[in-house]
Amino acid sequence: MDNADIEEMFGSLGPVSIRRMFGGKGIYVDGRILALELRGNLMVKGDDQSAGQLEEAGAQRWSYTHNKSGKEVNMPYWSMPEAAFDDPDEMARWVRLAYEAAMRAK
C-alpha cells in the first residue's frame, strides 16, 4: 500500500504522517499512532470502547505468540473492516474510531 493510498483513506481526519516501522508503516495524526500497515494489511487502533464494534464488523484483532512464554499477546490493533475499502463513508467511520481510541490511549 503506497503512502498516497493511505493518505486518501485517512483524509477525513486531515493530514497524516507516515513512518516506517516493523517492516511496515505507522500512521499518525496529531503525533499519535492510530493505524499500521504491515505486509499489505491495514490495521486500526482499537480499545475496550471500540472492540465490540470492530468485532461486529468482522475485524480480527492482531495477536502473536510470545517466543519465551508461549502466551498469546493481544495488540491494540484490528484489521480494517472489509466494507471500509468499498465505501468512503465506512472508511471515515473506522478511521474516526481509530483516532478516538488513539486519543484515549495513554
Side-chain angles (χ1 to χ4, degrees), residues 1-42:
M1 192 172 301
D2 68 20
N3 288 3
D5 290 338
I6 293 169
E7 290 168 352
E8 183 178 333
M9 288 179 207
F10 288 82
S12 64
L13 295 177
V16 298
S17 60
I18 301 167
R19 300 181 199 154
R20 295 179 69 107
M21 63 183 320
F22 306 127
K25 299 173 183 180
I27 302 161
Y28 296 78
V29 172
D30 298 331
R32 297 199 183 225
I33 188 166
L34 61 120
L36 302 171
E37 186 272 331
L38 292 172
R39 296 180 283 287
N41 297 312
L42 184 61

Side-chain angles (χ1 to χ4, degrees), residues 64-100:
Y64 69 93
T65 302
H66 190 273
N67 288 339
K68 292 184 181 181
S69 69
K71 292 182 181 179
E72 186 152 336
V73 178
N74 287 320
M75 299 299 290
Y77 295 95
W78 300 74
S79 59
M80 177 66 80
E82 286 297 317
F85 294 104
D86 297 325
D87 182 342
D89 292 333
E90 277 294 301
M91 180 62 73
R93 173 186 175 203
W94 297 113
V95 163
R96 171 61 53 190
L97 282 175
Y99 176 77
E100 292 168 0

Side-chain angles (χ1 to χ4, degrees), residues 51-71:
Q53 294 173 70
L54 287 158
E55 286 176 346
E56 280 182 29
Q60 301 292 313
R61 189 168 192 175
W62 178 27
S63 65
Y64 69 93
T65 302
H66 190 273
N67 288 339
K68 292 184 181 181
S69 69
K71 292 182 181 179

